[in-house]
Amino acid sequence: MKFKLKKAEKDEINKALAIFKAAAKSIAKKNIDHWQYWKNPPQEKITWVQEGFEKEEFFFIESLQQETIGMLRILEEDLRYWGKTTAKAKYVHSLVVLEKFKGKNIGQKVLQSLAEEATNQGFEYLRLDCEAKNSKLCNYYEQQGFIKVGTQNLSGSTYNLYQKKLINAFSEDY
């Protein structure tokens, strides 16, 4: 399935919160204790989304027919999870594919597309985090070529930090 990333408009925050809620319900059906706070998000999470919208970091994943498939947040700095670093990296948060589109390798294709774009822009790494207790999702990211490089404890949870080294024509590793 082909897709495009569409920058979220400031007035689409409720759409993003609805996608988070749908994802939480879908995850709960699989008996995975992950993201359940999105069913009734605390102010801290709503503020996090609002900040992302203000900084224009949220994107909707759309089919070529403009149907919403999912969403994600893309940052060029992630002080909360990664702290201050010197590496030039793109950070992916909250990659969600709606339940009716699962099984079509959309998440994998989105990550590949982001890696290609980041490589073309001269970034060294594509980075993301995952709640450590969600072993299925951690394994998924590892299958996509991400390597666990650390952990971060926040808000009573432990997050695995993953990165994927990007190779480009300007890299010494090429």
Side-chain angles (χ1 to χ4, degrees), residues 53-79:
F53 267 75
E54 288 168 13
K55 295 177 181 177
E56 299 183 341
E57 296 169 337
F58 273 92
F59 294 82
F60 291 107
I61 307 164
E62 290 188 343
S63 70
L64 298 183
Q65 293 75 36
Q66 297 180 330
E67 183 177 11
T68 301
I69 297 170
M71 72 173 185
L72 73 158
R73 184 175 180 182
I74 305 168
L75 303 89
E76 291 190 13
E77 182 176 59
D78 186 353
L79 297 175

Side-chain angles (χ1 to χ4, degrees), residues 135-146:
S135 59
K136 186 174 180 180
L137 188 56
C138 290
N139 290 336
Y140 173 79
Y141 288 132
E142 290 170 10
Q143 290 170 359
Q144 304 311 309
F146 287 85

Side-chain angles (χ1 to χ4, degrees), residues 2-66:
K2 294 191 178 202
F3 67 88
K4 61 183 176 181
L5 296 182
K6 179 191 144 291
K7 189 174 293 239
E9 301 292 328
K10 293 199 188 304
D11 63 352
E12 294 180 299
I13 192 164
N14 287 333
K15 179 178 176 179
L17 291 171
I19 289 173
F20 276 127
K21 188 174 190 173
K25 288 180 179 180
S26 176
I27 291 166
K29 288 181 198 173
K30 299 174 184 171
N31 294 319
I32 299 172
D33 182 23
H34 181 75
W35 273 16
Q36 295 310 294
Y37 47 78
W38 286 115
K39 290 179 183 174
N40 187 18
Q43 187 57 48
E44 170 190 343
K45 293 295 181 184
I46 293 171
T47 300
W48 183 82
V49 174
Q50 289 170 331
E51 289 170 354
F53 267 75
E54 288 168 13
K55 295 177 181 177
E56 299 183 341
E57 296 169 337
F58 273 92
F59 294 82
F60 291 107
I61 307 164
E62 290 188 343
S63 70
L64 298 183
Q65 293 75 36
Q66 297 180 330

